Amino acid sequence: MQKYEGYHFSLKDSIIGVQFLFVAFGALVLVPILTGLDANVALFTAGLGTLLFQIITRKNVPPIFLASSFAFIAPMTFSIKEWGVAATMGGVVFAGLFYVMLSFVVRFRGEGFLHKILPPVVVGPVIMTIGLILSPAAVNMAMGKGQSAYTQTEALIVAGISLVATIIVMMIGRGILRLVPILCGILVGYVAAYFFGMVNFAPIIEAAWFKLPNFSAPSFELDAILYMIPIAIAPAIEHIGDMLAISNVTKENFLKNPGLKNTLLGDGLATSLAAFFGGPPNTTYSEVTGAVSITKAYNPAIMTWTSITAIVLAFVGKLGAALSTIPAPVIGGIMLLLFGIIASVGMETLIKNKVDLADPRNMIIVALIFVFAIGGMVLDFGVVSFTGIGLGAITGIVLNLFLPKSRHYEGY
């Protein structure tokens, strides 16, 4: 298919839809693995969330897939440790509702207002902080910290093999293969880990083929809710970028029809729905957008089949058991690259939009976003507190709105 022709079913597209799940699979399951959630639940909520998104944007459905958001890894890890899984899921419900609120802001004030409060000088560094904050976790996993079953040297060797395999696929892979470097890195690293005696197959053997995912209901605690809401700013920014990307790929202006007012609404409700089942927050997946670009498979019904496949696999008990046997260094090696790439995407946002960091105003905004997001500062106002990515994002938005233009700056 060479152009976007709207939503329609075909047998060929059902096969492509199954393949697209494998493009998203590596990143999809990494978030629950890193945060301690159930990977099968993440599969289920990714499929369910994408179907909900398609219903909400039914007039002109973009061919995108929603799944686990990397922006929430560090906040969810902290929140689960501090308040538990149920309270964290309650926070995620309200993070999704924040998307919904943004969708109504766009609906009544127009897209220009959203771009005014989230310009590139704010968007770029916020995205960068996501990768930078997560990088220590990647290093610890690659070094096998906290593990006694193998040495640090063995962990680093396995992590290095995973990393190199991922890089090779990214650099020289062709077609769909180029879009699954994470999956390839996991497979190669898993084999290497097996030869180092790191893999225990007992959970796979003991697991049943059919098993209900470990669904869990949210509870609502004010501290967890107020902590999680500001985090939604970063994936909301990511959503806008992905909608722009898929519009460029398909030559169809999805920012206009169905419009950000509907795509943000769909994304937000999908995130809240995921939390009611105990799944990670959803976001649009750039990997799948890349697959759409390469295959020219623009029919959004493909994502329906991708979603159905994800839901079906969620009930395969042996799949969840197999994912649980992946050693930490395998994941850590891939994360070393992936979290760095996230930071690089933020840098690219600044460069592409020609944000002049010699301008004192821009320099101040970027600098304070970095320090407040990464430095561990906590602003506690009693009823609400801000820290990490959320604090950095709020800082950038406030500075951009109230910091005066640099009157005497003339550049170089």
Side-chain angles (χ1 to χ4, degrees), residues 265-276:
L265 176 63
D267 202 342
L269 291 178
T271 289
S272 295
L273 180 64
F276 275 106

Side-chain angles (χ1 to χ4, degrees), residues 312-386:
V312 170
L313 288 179
F315 293 91
V316 179
K318 287 190 180 294
L319 175 60
L323 293 174
S324 70
T325 66
I326 301 174
V330 175
I331 304 297
I334 297 167
M335 293 297 95
L336 292 173
L337 176 65
L338 194 58
F339 292 159
I341 288 176
I342 293 173
S344 301
V345 169
M347 187 185 304
E348 183 185 27
T349 300
L350 294 174
I351 294 171
K352 276 189 173 181
N353 291 278
K354 300 180 180 179
V355 176
D356 189 352
L357 292 182
D359 182 339
R361 181 180 186 275
N362 292 339
M363 189 183 297
I364 290 168
I365 293 173
V366 173
L368 291 182
I369 289 175
F370 282 156
V371 173
F372 285 8
I374 301 173
M377 182 180 290
V378 179
L379 290 185
D380 191 343
F381 298 101
V383 177
V384 60
S385 62
F386 299 102

Side-chain angles (χ1 to χ4, degrees), residues 15 52 68 98 263 281 340 372 396 402:
I15 298 172
L52 177 62
S68 312
F98 177 81
T263 60
F372 285 8
F402 296 103

Side-chain angles (χ1 to χ4, degrees), residues 18-205:
V18 174
Q19 293 175 337
F20 273 16
L21 179 61
F22 290 98
V23 173
F25 189 84
L28 191 165
V29 299
L30 277 179
V31 175
I33 288 173
L34 292 172
T35 56
L37 299 178
D38 188 290
N40 286 51
V41 174
L43 277 165
F44 179 83
T45 55
L48 196 63
T50 302
L51 293 178
L52 177 62
F53 178 87
Q54 291 191 329
I55 291 171
I56 292 171
T57 59
R58 62 188 181 280
K59 290 183 179 179
N60 201 31
V61 188
I64 64 174
F65 183 71
L66 304 181
S68 312
S69 171
F70 275 80
F72 283 88
I73 293 175
M76 285 182 64
T77 302
F78 173 82
S79 181
I80 290 172
K81 182 179 179 181
E82 191 76 10
W83 299 293
V85 173
T88 298
M89 292 298 103
V92 171
V93 169
F94 277 83
L97 294 179
F98 177 81
Y99 280 76
V100 175
M101 183 195 73
L102 282 180
S103 75
F104 282 100
V105 169
V106 173
R107 192 177 300 273
F108 294 113
R109 296 291 301 273
E111 295 174 14
F113 180 79
L114 197 59
H115 293 305
K116 180 180 179 181
I117 63 174
L118 295 172
V121 71
V122 174
V123 171
V126 168
I127 295 174
M128 290 175 71
T129 60
I130 295 172
L132 295 173
I133 288 173
L134 291 171
S135 58
V139 172
N140 289 337
M141 292 183 73
M143 295 176 66
K145 286 192 174 181
Q147 301 289 336
S148 58
Y150 41 84
T151 67
Q152 181 175 305
T153 300
E154 291 173 333
L156 285 172
I157 291 173
V158 170
I161 292 172
S162 299
L163 174 62
V164 171
T166 306
I167 291 173
I168 290 174
V169 175
M170 288 182 68
M171 295 293 294
I172 66 174
R174 294 291 182 268
I176 290 293
L177 184 64
R178 184 169 62 87
L179 297 170
V180 289
I182 295 175
L183 188 58
C184 293
I186 290 175
L187 292 174
V188 173
Y190 193 85
V191 172
Y194 169 76
F195 284 107
F196 277 94
M198 297 181 184
V199 179
N200 177 16
F201 292 117
I204 304 175
I205 297 170

Side-chain angles (χ1 to χ4, degrees), residues 1-4 12-13 16 20 63 176 248-251 289-299 302:
M1 189 183 301
Q2 297 302 312
K3 64 187 292 291
Y4 181 84
K12 175 185 176 183
D13 289 336
I16 296 174
F20 273 16
I176 290 293
N248 290 335
V249 166
T250 60
K251 310 303 181 186
T289 299
V292 170
S293 176
I294 287 178
T295 61
K296 310 299 182 187
Y298 301 149
N299 180 7
I302 290 170

